[in-house]
Amino acid sequence: MELWDGRFELKETAKLEGHTDRVWSLAWNPATGTEGIPLVFASCSGDKTVRIWEQSPSSGSWNCKAVLEETHTRTVRSCSWSPNGKLLATASFDATTAMWENIGGDYECVSTLEGHENEVKSVSWNASGSLLATCSRDRTVWIWEVLPGNEYECVSVLQGHTQDVKMVQWHPTLDLLFSCSYDNTIKVWAGDDDNDDWRCVQTIDESNNGHSSTVWALSFNATGDKMVTCSDDLTLKIWETDETRLHSGDGYSPWRHTCTLSGNHDRTIFSVHWSRNGIIASGAADDAIRLFVENQEKMVDGSSFQLLYKKEKAHNMDVNSVQWSPGEKRLLASASDDGTIKIWELVSVS
């Protein structure tokens, strides 16, 4: 774990315009930013389009390389790259999820996933790229198996949430799926050995130190033994599990609450993302971005976190998404209701 002594700040390095409505979500291509491959990310918007942005290796400036349009007929709410970076999944209020492939520099829609009754809110790939999850205002979570030839088969429809499901997120190494909802809960889903029969193995709610209002997002640390969640109750919560048991395969290891971060945002926290070097970023309806790191002193009963940096007025309106980049640099991208995307670099201030 890195030591975060001294002062840090988020330096705005780019402000990207092009979307004509609020920008809902961002996703960095995981196969970029290393070995000379320029960083690439996707953004999606209420303007029904997805934009692909690439950083110029020479100048460091960002260019919109493609606009994916005329496929979704309503807001595009979420986007997610496959682990190898070859496919981009986009989830829309038009009740479909589109699959895009970069074919010779042009992004083509190679498949459309249909089945949800109404708005699809989130889409996520598992670590191996063999499964995809989607969730919807119809209160269900769907698990899709990725088949050859751009075919996708729904292997399970998970029912258990009583309200709109805001986000789905796979565990970074295991085939465990997490969903969070307007019903104030987080649910953990596991399949049997063949990934055919999926069931809810844990529900985190207010009775076990969970959130008291809508849970908007969640993210895992690099090793996958800690999770952070954010909510309309204005808190971030940290959860942990027994890492050895998690990977030993001898049954499910439940997640335990270790601490609650409150008093940092004064409006709904929409987005949270844990960087691979251990920094948690949060974005909220107070137009601000906050960064947190774990305290170095070992606590008796788990962990505690401290505020590393706060950026007031990061955007002119709600911050809907914050995402750390892959690659060597500590870059953070943020998306807002103000229609812009900003790229920030975390720098130390002497």
Side-chain angles (χ1 to χ4, degrees), residues 2 4-13 277 279 291 308-311 324 328-332 343-350:
E2 295 190 28
W4 297 102
D5 294 334
R7 288 175 53 225
F8 289 85
E9 70 172 24
L10 281 177
K11 190 177 86 187
E12 184 182 324
T13 61
N277 14 44
I279 313 169
L291 303 182
L308 178 74
Y309 180 73
K310 55 182 186 229
K311 181 71 188 177
W324 292 102
E328 291 82 29
K329 278 201 166 169
R330 289 198 286 260
L331 298 182
L332 181 74
I343 309 294
W344 311 83
E345 185 172 4
L346 184 66
V347 291
S348 59
V349 187
S350 50

Side-chain angles (χ1 to χ4, degrees), residues 192-256:
D192 59 12
D193 293 341
D194 302 327
N195 278 341
D196 286 342
D197 191 24
W198 288 81
R199 61 196 171 85
C200 179
V201 291
Q202 186 177 2
T203 299
I204 297 169
D205 59 21
E206 212 175 347
S207 71
N208 47 20
N209 294 309
H211 291 285
S212 59
S213 191
T214 302
V215 188
W216 278 94
L218 61 96
S219 180
F220 296 93
N221 67 347
T223 47
D225 61 333
K226 288 191 174 76
M227 168 174 73
V228 58
T229 56
C230 67
S231 168
D232 187 48
D233 67 11
L234 313 186
T235 71
L236 298 166
K237 287 178 181 281
I238 310 288
W239 309 84
E240 62 183 26
T241 187
D242 182 333
E243 198 181 0
T244 20
R245 262 193 70 194
L246 195 64
H247 290 279
S248 67
D250 71 345
Y252 174 72
S253 176
W255 293 77
R256 303 178 306 275

Side-chain angles (χ1 to χ4, degrees), residues 155-313:
V155 291
S156 202
V157 176
L158 308 177
Q159 294 172 331
H161 284 295
T162 58
Q163 298 286 339
D164 184 358
V165 188
K166 296 295 187 188
M167 186 187 196
V168 278
Q169 183 69 48
W170 290 93
H171 185 272
T173 56
L174 302 170
D175 282 346
L176 278 178
L177 180 64
F178 294 70
S179 57
C180 53
S181 167
Y182 190 70
D183 66 13
N184 310 350
T185 73
I186 301 137
K187 286 185 178 287
V188 191
W189 311 85
D192 59 12
D193 293 341
D194 302 327
N195 278 341
D196 286 342
D197 191 24
W198 288 81
R199 61 196 171 85
C200 179
V201 291
Q202 186 177 2
T203 299
I204 297 169
D205 59 21
E206 212 175 347
S207 71
N208 47 20
N209 294 309
H211 291 285
S212 59
S213 191
T214 302
V215 188
W216 278 94
L218 61 96
S219 180
F220 296 93
N221 67 347
T223 47
D225 61 333
K226 288 191 174 76
M227 168 174 73
V228 58
T229 56
C230 67
S231 168
D232 187 48
D233 67 11
L234 313 186
T235 71
L236 298 166
K237 287 178 181 281
I238 310 288
W239 309 84
E240 62 183 26
T241 187
D242 182 333
E243 198 181 0
T244 20
R245 262 193 70 194
L246 195 64
H247 290 279
S248 67
D250 71 345
Y252 174 72
S253 176
W255 293 77
R256 303 178 306 275
H257 173 262
T258 66
C259 68
T260 296
L261 304 175
S262 53
N264 296 290
H265 290 284
D266 51 20
R267 293 187 63 192
T268 302
I269 308 169
F270 288 128
S271 181
V272 65
H273 194 224
W274 208 322
S275 82
R276 41 184 204 298
N277 14 44
I279 313 169
I280 295 172
S282 60
D286 58 8
D287 314 341
I289 294 172
R290 298 279 187 270
L291 303 182
F292 304 90
V293 288
E294 190 166 359
N295 284 328
Q296 298 305 313
E297 298 82 42
K298 276 285 166 238
M299 304 292 287
V300 182
D301 54 350
S303 51
S304 77
F305 284 72
Q306 67 193 53
L307 184 69
L308 178 74
Y309 180 73
K310 55 182 186 229
K311 181 71 188 177
E312 307 289 355
K313 283 291 169 198

Side-chain angles (χ1 to χ4, degrees), residues 40 51-52 56 64 73-74 76 93 108 143 148 158-159 165 224 227 260 272 303 309 328 348:
V40 169
R51 285 178 172 257
I52 310 291
S56 156
C64 180
T73 57
R74 290 183 64 194
V76 188
F93 285 5
E108 294 180 21
I143 295 179
L158 308 177
Q159 294 172 331
V165 188
M227 168 174 73
T260 296
V272 65
S303 51
Y309 180 73
E328 291 82 29
S348 59

Side-chain angles (χ1 to χ4, degrees), residues 71 98-101 107-112:
T71 295
M99 311 300 297
W100 304 83
E101 188 176 356
Y107 285 83
E108 294 180 21
C109 179
V110 292
S111 194
T112 305

